[in-house]
Amino acid sequence: MSYWLVKSEPSVWSWDQQVAKGAKGEAWTGVRNYTARQNLVAMKKGELAFYYHSNEGKEIVGIAEIIKEAYPDPTDKTEKFVCVDIKAHKAFKTSVTLVAIKAEPKLAEMALVKQSRLSVQPVTPEEWKLVCKMGGL
DNA sequence: GCCAACGTTGGC
DNA sequence: GCCAACGTTGGC
């Protein structure tokens, strides 16, 4: 069981829109980076991912679940990249801001802090537990 | 809106 | 296959 973190600009696709899709979920398309692609491919059905809002908010707002493993991204004309389907799993009671993450020494190694540009990242079990706690879950 | 960090492209 | 130029992301 691996844990992940996916990023979205709320102006493009927000948590609320994801929630509105319900159990059916939505294709997580638009990844055009090979490191992120590798992470997408490694995702297994049923695994969980933090849902992070970049630019606006800069906070983790909830948890999504992978409901379909990697397949070719229909929005990619070059046919090199893949996407997965995810659905909203659980909202945080309180969102965990980037500021709060940076203020927590145990989270200093998070990819979110170290590789801020990577849009699909792995999260360690320790980080997962702590961030869930900070989010009120 | 600026700029640093980083990924990608293309000429050699 | 290196590396300079360029484009993009995302925090501030």
Side-chain angles (χ1 to χ4, degrees):
Chain A
M1 178 85 185
S2 302
Y3 296 104
W4 308 98
L5 180 146
V6 296
K7 287 204 277 194
S8 177
E9 289 191 45
S11 58
V12 179
W13 187 256
S14 71
W15 171 253
D16 288 342
Q17 285 173 285
Q18 187 66 55
V19 169
K21 284 280 170 180
K24 189 158 79 106
E26 177 73 10
W28 194 262
T29 59
V31 170
R32 298 293 181 268
N33 169 291
Y34 286 102
T35 308
R37 182 189 185 281
Q38 276 184 292
N39 290 330
L40 284 178
V41 170
M43 287 177 171
K44 297 271 173 284
K45 194 176 172 183
E47 288 184 340
L48 302 175
F50 287 136
Y51 200 103
Y52 178 78
H53 276 174
S54 64
N55 275 318
E56 262 174 78
K58 280 166 280 180
E59 58 195 9
I60 299 172
V61 289
I63 297 171
E65 181 185 338
I66 314 305
I67 55 173
K68 188 176 176 188
E69 294 176 17
Y71 60 97
D73 183 341
T75 69
D76 175 30
K77 290 198 196 87
T78 67
E79 297 180 344
K80 284 182 199 157
F81 291 97
V82 298
C83 62
V84 297
D85 286 1
I86 65 170
K87 73 175 171 93
H89 174 70
K90 222 172 202 185
F92 274 4
K93 288 200 178 67
T94 46
S95 49
V96 179
T97 64
L98 185 61
V99 173
I101 289 166
K102 284 189 170 170
E104 172 51 69
K106 288 186 192 125
L107 298 177
E109 295 299 313
M110 270 190 88
L112 188 65
V113 178
K114 297 221 132 181
Q115 283 164 269
S116 61
R117 288 187 52 190
L118 185 59
S119 58
V120 183
Q121 325 179 337
V123 174
T124 68
E126 293 76 26
E127 290 163 352
W128 184 267
K129 264 177 98 172
L130 184 53
V131 174
C132 283
K133 205 172 167 189
M134 290 164 74
L137 296 182

